[in-house]
Amino acid sequence: MRHNKAVNHLGRKSAHRKAMLANMASSLILKKRITTTEAKAKALKQYVEPVITKSKDDSTHSRRVVFSYLKDKEATAELFRVVAPKIADRPGGYTRILHLGFRQGDAASMVLMELVDFNEAALASTPKAEKKTTRRSRAKKAEAAPEAPKAEEAPAAEEAPAAE
């Protein structure tokens, strides 16, 4: 049973686990996407999301706190210079986990973990937001077009009985 076990230990001692998560978080920030196992990705998501949220406030204190998590000067600089301005208006959910399948050797579930605002393919394929038409507006246009011929036919129908 998993009573009160909030942290996935990933089969490692705490120092090894913290170092691994710091390295994975640095790699994710620098490369914008990494391939890893599903369990590590879920643990990394809990680790890196608060760090990215902390980077929205560009102060000396927040930089020091983020550096204490990442332990990498280049990753910290990249986070504050490149990533933070892009995610400034996003209220959370900075990472995405996409399932890739199973690893050949041990059948571990592999995933692709990426920063949401840095996926060029997904950003390029979202022109749906630019369209501002809905089904309701199309239905009104469709109703307006058939009414015009009916209006022309109505007087012709009235004239025919009047002629008799």
Side-chain angles (χ1 to χ4, degrees):
M1 284 185 246
R2 293 192 66 247
H3 294 303
N4 294 328
K5 296 187 188 292
V7 177
N8 186 352
H9 297 290
L10 301 172
R12 290 160 172 83
K13 302 284 184 178
S14 63
H16 185 187
R17 185 174 56 254
K18 288 175 187 175
M20 181 190 67
L21 290 173
N23 287 331
M24 288 176 69
S26 297
S27 297
L28 179 65
I29 290 166
L30 292 173
K31 297 178 182 179
K32 310 300 186 267
R33 61 174 52 187
I34 58 172
T35 303
T36 183
T37 62
E38 187 175 4
K40 287 181 188 175
K42 287 180 179 180
L44 179 61
K45 186 170 191 156
Q46 289 180 347
Y47 186 85
V48 79
E49 296 259 346
V51 173
I52 295 173
T53 301
K54 193 73 167 169
S55 73
K56 288 183 177 184
D57 176 32
D58 191 6
S59 64
T60 305
H61 177 66
S62 63
R63 281 182 178 264
R64 287 177 177 167
V65 170
V66 168
F67 180 75
S68 73
Y69 278 90
L70 297 180
K71 299 169 181 60
D72 185 4
K73 192 184 293 187
E74 289 81 21
T76 304
E78 177 84 5
L79 180 62
F80 279 93
R81 289 184 189 141
V82 178
V83 177
K86 269 192 135 174
I87 54 101
D89 58 340
R90 183 177 287 276
Y94 313 111
T95 57
R96 176 184 297 132
I97 296 175
L98 301 169
H99 295 273
L100 297 176
F102 298 99
R103 189 161 51 194
Q104 183 75 32
D106 59 354
S109 180
M110 298 300 289
V111 298
L112 178 75
M113 187 170 189
E114 63 185 6
L115 295 175
V116 172
D117 291 325
F118 289 89
N119 186 348
E120 291 81 16
L123 293 175
S125 67
T126 55
K128 295 176 185 175
E130 294 176 10
K131 288 186 178 179
K132 294 187 179 177
T133 59
T134 62
R135 289 187 178 194
R136 177 176 286 167
S137 64
R138 288 187 205 129
K140 288 181 182 177
K141 290 179 186 176
E143 290 174 9
E147 288 179 11
K150 288 181 182 177
E152 294 173 4
E153 293 173 7
E158 292 175 6
E159 291 174 11
E164 289 180 20

